[in-house]
Amino acid sequence: MKSIYTDKHKLRDAQTELCGGELVPPFECPVRAEYVLERIRKTGLGEVLGPDSHGLEPVLRVHDRDYVDFLATCWRDWKAAGYKGEAIATCWPSRRLTRAVPPREIDGRIGYYCLASETAISEGTWEAAQAAADVALTAQRLVADGERAAFGLCRPPGHHAAADMFGGYCFLNNAAIAAQAFLDGGAERVALLDVDFHHGNGTQSVFYQRPDVLFLSLHGDPDDAFPYFLGGADETGDGPGAGFNANYPLPPGADYGAWSKALEDALARIGRYAPDALVVSLGVDTFKDDPISFFRLRSEDFTDYGRRIGGLGLPTLFVMEGGYAVAEIGVNTVNVLQGFENV
């Protein structure tokens, strides 16, 4: 399996994350991608290629122009305003107390576009986010051109990014952008399976009213886990998208037995949908030792579920999302890819 990677991810090197009332070093850090790359090379998974530049056109098929302009200028405007630290939102449009226009001042504007304040914007964030989208799109093109599968080693991740909001370490929704690229290239239906511990709230919101993307997410119950406000089993799509959204919220301590039962149901739904391509939002923070998650998967379980996904026999694009047990992130990620390859 070919993998796409770029050193430009290192431009996203934020130093602060708001966690438990403290500013701490971010869990989402550059070494995550480096450990995955090291494991790809050590196991001989396949060729590692750099991304092509795809410009903003495919990004704007998913994200609002005003939001993209905000991401491109946020750090410049934050520094110009005289703020000393990294750009962190401190206020948001609130339920019932909303003036639904972005303020002129950057301290207000960042809150308008933010869904979670743990995620700081720092120098290089926009350039790294663009590069991650190019990674996903280059891997997507390999699959569209006939490869059985490809892996986009995206960083920063993307599945929390909505059409006009960032948070959860995500700025551009790499998986959604790639799914849309399949459709724009002639696919009639795409399935998007999110196996990250955290619900893909941004991805759900992008496709919630559409029947051409079947979105399925296995994740921590939103009553107990970030991002909290989406991810219920009763969220099944709206309007033309009714019936094309499936959530599998699972409780604290869920082991592979419970998790894989949900996966089998999701895979059966994908099989019935008969998509032209499958996009997998590959987060490995379901691992038992992940510091910000509560599932109990072991490293060998990742190999098994990669095999199960491979059993669908679909052209498949894997896009990197979360995983914060840094020492094991490479093993767990490559285990999924090897399990898929060995079907």
Side-chain angles (χ1 to χ4, degrees):
M1 183 186 302
K2 292 176 181 176
S3 299
I4 309 299
Y5 165 87
T6 176
D7 278 338
K8 288 185 177 180
H9 81 87
K10 297 176 184 177
L11 295 170
R12 168 64 182 169
D13 191 14
Q15 300 300 301
T16 49
E17 175 177 333
L18 183 59
C19 179
E22 299 180 290
L23 290 176
V24 302
F27 291 100
E28 203 294 292
C29 54
V31 72
R32 295 176 61 250
E34 298 307 302
Y35 273 109
V36 177
L37 179 65
E38 177 183 316
R39 185 67 177 176
I40 287 170
R41 288 174 168 159
K42 182 176 182 179
T43 59
L45 179 71
E47 190 176 4
V48 179
L49 305 170
D52 299 322
S53 177
H54 294 265
L56 286 180
E57 183 176 352
V59 171
L60 294 172
R61 295 285 291 142
V62 168
H63 292 285
D64 291 354
R65 165 68 74 174
D66 289 347
Y67 170 68
V68 170
D69 290 345
F70 158 77
L71 289 177
T73 59
C74 176
W75 180 248
R76 180 201 69 194
D77 292 350
W78 182 262
K79 295 302 289 183
Y83 296 114
K84 303 302 182 184
E86 294 179 325
I88 299 176
T90 58
C91 60
W92 301 264
S94 304
R95 288 178 296 117
R96 299 185 306 279
L97 302 176
T98 296
R99 178 176 177 266
V101 293
R104 281 190 300 271
E105 215 284 329
I106 186 59
D107 187 40
R109 197 158 70 252
I110 190 173
Y112 180 85
Y113 291 111
C114 181
L115 61 86
S117 63
E118 89 287 66
T119 301
I121 289 180
S122 57
E123 185 175 10
T125 294
W126 169 238
E127 291 79 6
Q130 281 186 289
D134 281 338
V135 165
L137 287 164
T138 303
Q140 181 273 333
R141 176 48 52 192
L142 289 175
V143 177
D145 286 346
E147 295 280 346
R148 175 176 178 245
F151 173 48
L153 180 42
C154 296
R155 184 184 169 270
H159 71 148
H160 295 306
D164 60 353
M165 286 185 283
F166 75 93
Y169 315 136
C170 302
F171 304 95
L172 297 177
N173 195 315
N174 307 307
I177 291 166
Q180 184 63 52
F182 277 119
L183 295 169
D184 291 341
E188 294 184 3
R189 293 180 303 279
V190 175
L192 205 165
L193 174 66
D194 192 323
V195 294
D196 190 280
F197 169 80
H198 302 94
H199 178 246
N201 56 331
T203 311
Q204 173 173 306
S205 71
V206 168
F207 297 117
Y208 200 64
Q209 296 184 334
R210 291 172 51 175
D212 53 354
V213 175
L214 173 66
F215 176 66
L216 312 99
S217 179
L218 286 65
H219 52 268
D221 192 309
D223 283 344
D224 303 300
F226 181 91
Y228 299 112
F229 303 110
L230 279 182
D234 59 340
E235 298 160 17
T236 59
D238 186 40
F244 296 95
N245 193 90
N247 287 322
Y248 298 85
L250 296 168
D255 62 9
Y256 188 58
W259 193 92
S260 62
K261 184 178 179 180
L263 177 67
E264 284 303 304
D265 189 85
L267 295 180
R269 290 192 64 159
I270 292 170
R272 292 192 296 271
Y273 185 65
D276 299 303
L278 172 65
V279 178
V280 180
S281 273
L282 180 56
V284 295
D285 43 1
T286 50
F287 182 58
K288 64 183 181 64
D289 294 330
D290 196 275
I292 56 174
S293 308
F294 56 58
F295 288 168
R296 306 300 301 164
L297 274 65
R298 303 160 300 168
S299 290
E300 56 266 33
D301 298 330
F302 292 90
T303 305
D304 183 70
Y305 86 65
R307 176 187 58 78
R308 297 186 190 205
I309 294 171
L312 288 172
L314 292 170
T316 301
L317 168 64
F318 292 91
V319 175
M320 192 74 208
E321 300 286 2
Y324 309 102
V326 174
E328 294 88 0
I329 188 174
V331 170
N332 294 336
T333 300
V334 175
N335 278 3
V336 176
L337 304 177
Q338 289 182 317
F340 178 95
E341 288 278 85
N342 291 331
V343 173

